Amino acid sequence: ERVYGQPLIGLSNAVQQHWSNNQPAKALLLSMHGPPGTGKNYVSGILIRHLFIKDSKSKFYHLFSGTVHFPHKNQVQNYKDQIQAWVRGNVSICPKSVFVFDEVDKMPATLLDALKPFVDSYQHIDRVDYRRAIFIFLSNSGSDMISRYMLAQKKLGKDRSEVYSKLDDKLPLYLYDESNGPLRKSDLLKHHLVSRFIPFLPLERLHVTECIKDYLKLHYPDWLYGSDFIERVLNKLVFVPELEKFFSSTGCKRVADKVQLQMSIDEMSDKDKRRRRNEL
């Protein structure tokens, strides 16, 4: 209900069914793909808050960033060893550990093959059962394909849910063939170990409007804003393509900046109006 423009068909059921199953067939591996600002990190955060009382502060939740934790392409083997040590150590303590890998598209190729033993259908490895763990990939990979396909379907008047269900099949095929994609040569794809690919669609004007309203409710709950203010904020965002302007080029990512900017402009304008009235 707090995510706009993303059908996310079956996602919550997949997580809840895995979480409540004491002996799943394998670990749950979710791979989320889409343009920036469409909600990948946001949805991941909602899942973590649902699963852990201490949400992101839980010691059973682990976040890894491609640019922060794995910046050097010549250190892939060292990174693989580190990933396997982190997973082994943490799942040994808590079988229901959750590992989120952000910026997967910026990681060295084949790095995430280090996870293969942990997401395969082994009952245990060295007396440790990894099948109850959850792994989540967040990536911009596939964004161009998703945006192109969504634009073509939008021009045909297709419903977002209908488009989503078709992308669910097209996305893994595209990632498997993507020339520079981080998963292209990955054993995770070759051995079909990704439990679910989740496409995130580009956001339309009405979706960004809801993001603006949510931001204002959260940070300025007592402020009575009008639809004209929201329209001015929307006009400061870039919508593409240039002619139709169907989709926000940054999703909801720049909403906070643009709201703050518009508020500053309005405040300066009000001050200028008061100054002119005083002069008169």
Side-chain angles (χ1 to χ4, degrees), residues 256-272:
D257 294 338
K258 297 305 182 184
V259 167
Q260 293 294 335
L261 174 60
Q262 189 57 54
M263 291 179 76
S264 298
I265 292 172
D266 288 355
E267 184 178 355
M268 291 176 61
S269 176
D270 289 342
K271 286 181 178 178
D272 186 54

Side-chain angles (χ1 to χ4, degrees), residues 122 176 216:
Y122 302 121
Y176 194 85
L216 291 170

Side-chain angles (χ1 to χ4, degrees), residues 34-48:
T38 51
K40 298 183 296 294
N41 278 283
Y42 184 52
V43 168
S44 173
I46 290 175
L47 292 176
I48 298 305

Side-chain angles (χ1 to χ4, degrees), residues 134-147:
I134 295 178
F135 298 85
I136 301 175
F137 295 166
L138 308 178
S139 176
N140 291 338
S141 184
S143 295
D144 290 344
M145 184 276 288
I146 292 172
S147 296

Side-chain angles (χ1 to χ4, degrees), residues 47-142:
L47 292 176
I48 298 305
R49 287 194 294 276
H50 174 74
L51 298 176
F52 297 120
I53 293 174
K54 294 184 178 180
D55 57 72
S56 62
K57 295 180 181 178
S58 171
K59 62 182 178 181
F60 309 127
Y61 161 69
H62 313 278
L63 173 65
F64 304 99
S65 165
T67 53
V68 174
H69 294 98
F70 315 112
H72 306 297
K73 293 183 179 181
N74 60 346
Q75 296 290 319
V76 173
Q77 189 55 53
N78 288 337
Y79 295 151
K80 285 185 175 182
D81 294 340
Q82 290 174 9
I83 288 173
Q84 291 192 336
W86 284 328
V87 173
R88 276 197 302 266
N90 286 290
V91 175
S92 297
I93 298 170
C94 175
K96 286 188 171 184
S97 294
V98 177
F99 303 88
V100 176
F101 292 83
D102 192 13
E103 300 181 310
V104 167
D105 49 302
K106 296 180 176 62
M107 292 182 185
T110 73
L111 171 63
L112 294 175
D113 284 350
L115 297 175
K116 182 181 180 296
F118 309 125
V119 298
D120 216 327
S121 301
Y122 302 121
Q123 289 191 357
H124 59 80
I125 301 174
D126 294 332
R127 296 183 297 279
V128 179
D129 187 350
Y130 296 91
R131 294 175 299 169
R132 297 176 73 186
I134 295 178
F135 298 85
I136 301 175
F137 295 166
L138 308 178
S139 176
N140 291 338
S141 184

